[in-house]
Amino acid sequence: VNQASSAMEDAYKQGKTRQIIRVLLPRSANNDQLLQYYEEDIEDGSMETVLVPTDETWQGGIMQLYRAASYTCQAILRRYSRNAGGGVVPRLQEDRSVDESGVDGIGVWITQGGSPNDDLSCFVQPSQETVDAIETISRQAGSRLVALLNPQWRIADDALDSVSRSDGLFGNIASFLGGKGGSLRRLDALGFESTYTVEGYVCRGGNIRLIKRFDSDWAVFAENDAATDYILVGTSVSRPTYQDVDAML
């Protein structure tokens, strides 16, 4: 939370008002609290937790994922807004109207402080179908911060994504079929860029974490044998592939 909010603050000071944040989410350490675990319990220490990727290894549906992401979003926004003008603690308001079906795990959290200039909007788990709403709020926000937390599209491209990034007929068809290229072009036009990213997966049987700020290279960390900490094993200017990480171990 501290790292993400700090990266958001630093990026905003450099004029980056449209930001994308990707973080890991809290989960009970042994996954035995599925559908029962409430993320707020991490604050009082009543439950041992770990931070896990939001990929296919997550146990539970999209709404359970949204619950964890929503709580994390609130914590980040409170930390980010702690120095809001006038010393007024901002009020957080959730807007779920962007989730038309009500079950796609999408929402917007908006901070309301002492001055409208300090307010910001953060979309939680937006999908490609949310881009229209993102464009609308971005136009209304002006120079105020608009962020996307854990978009539902993957960072890496599959074949359809790669084709959808191209112009012309084939690119349009690929975008229509679900490729993310068209959506990303619209976000690029709005000025959105990645500010803070944490990814995780397993390599050689051990947990790997990739971390990047907007102003840093990618840092690769591997969990130690005792599973008590992570050790820096390498850095990369571009996003390291699985093969790159394997060579660092």
Side-chain angles (χ1 to χ4, degrees):
V1 168
N2 290 347
Q3 292 179 11
S5 62
S6 177
M8 292 170 65
E9 289 182 61
D10 294 343
Y12 187 75
K13 291 176 182 177
Q14 295 188 25
K16 303 180 186 300
T17 62
R18 302 293 179 264
Q19 304 182 17
I20 301 175
I21 313 295
R22 290 182 181 270
V23 297
L24 306 184
L25 297 178
R27 168 111 259 170
S28 59
N30 55 11
N31 281 334
D32 66 347
Q33 301 296 319
L34 184 62
L35 303 182
Q36 302 176 30
Y37 169 54
Y38 288 89
E39 286 69 25
E40 289 85 345
D41 291 340
I42 64 176
E43 287 195 339
D44 60 21
S46 61
M47 184 175 296
E48 182 183 359
T49 61
V50 292
L51 294 177
V52 297
T54 59
D55 56 17
E56 61 275 1
T57 63
W58 178 275
Q59 297 187 31
I62 189 64
M63 291 306 297
Q64 283 74 40
L65 192 62
Y66 175 77
R67 185 177 65 185
S70 181
Y71 176 75
T72 302
C73 178
Q74 294 175 66
I76 291 174
L77 295 185
R78 287 193 184 98
R79 176 70 182 175
Y80 176 89
S81 303
R82 70 192 186 281
N83 296 322
V88 177
V89 177
R91 183 168 66 93
L92 298 180
Q93 179 177 345
E94 182 185 29
D95 181 359
R96 294 268 289 125
S97 65
V98 295
D99 187 352
E100 295 183 358
S101 70
V103 294
D104 286 335
I106 303 169
V108 184
W109 280 94
I110 303 169
T111 67
Q112 296 179 332
S115 168
N117 292 330
D118 296 324
D119 295 347
L120 65 93
S121 303
C122 183
F123 285 81
V124 178
Q125 297 188 158
S127 67
Q128 294 187 61
E129 288 72 27
T130 320
V131 175
D132 286 344
I134 294 173
E135 288 180 327
T136 298
I137 287 184
S138 294
R139 286 194 295 267
Q140 296 172 347
S143 61
R144 289 173 292 179
L145 176 60
V146 179
L148 313 181
L149 177 71
N150 287 6
Q152 293 188 30
W153 53 85
R154 296 170 62 92
I155 295 179
D157 288 350
D158 58 20
L160 198 60
D161 291 329
S162 297
V163 175
S164 69
R165 288 179 179 273
S166 62
D167 295 326
L169 178 61
F170 289 112
N172 292 334
I173 292 176
S175 293
F176 177 77
L177 293 176
K180 66 187 181 207
S183 298
L184 293 185
R185 283 197 296 272
R186 293 169 66 185
L187 293 177
D188 288 342
L190 294 171
F192 277 94
E193 55 185 300
S194 294
T195 299
Y196 182 77
T197 302
V198 182
E199 298 181 61
Y201 54 78
V202 174
C203 183
R204 292 193 189 181
N207 288 319
I208 299 297
R209 298 292 183 258
L210 308 180
I211 302 178
K212 187 184 187 312
R213 277 175 49 113
F214 69 98
D215 54 0
S216 75
D217 293 339
W218 287 89
V220 181
F221 293 84
E223 193 172 32
N224 63 17
D225 293 338
T228 58
D229 201 0
Y230 282 83
I231 303 170
L232 179 67
V233 295
T235 61
S236 176
V237 174
S238 58
R239 182 179 180 275
T241 64
Y242 184 91
Q243 292 74 20
D244 293 333
V245 173
D246 183 63
M248 293 176 184
L249 297 177

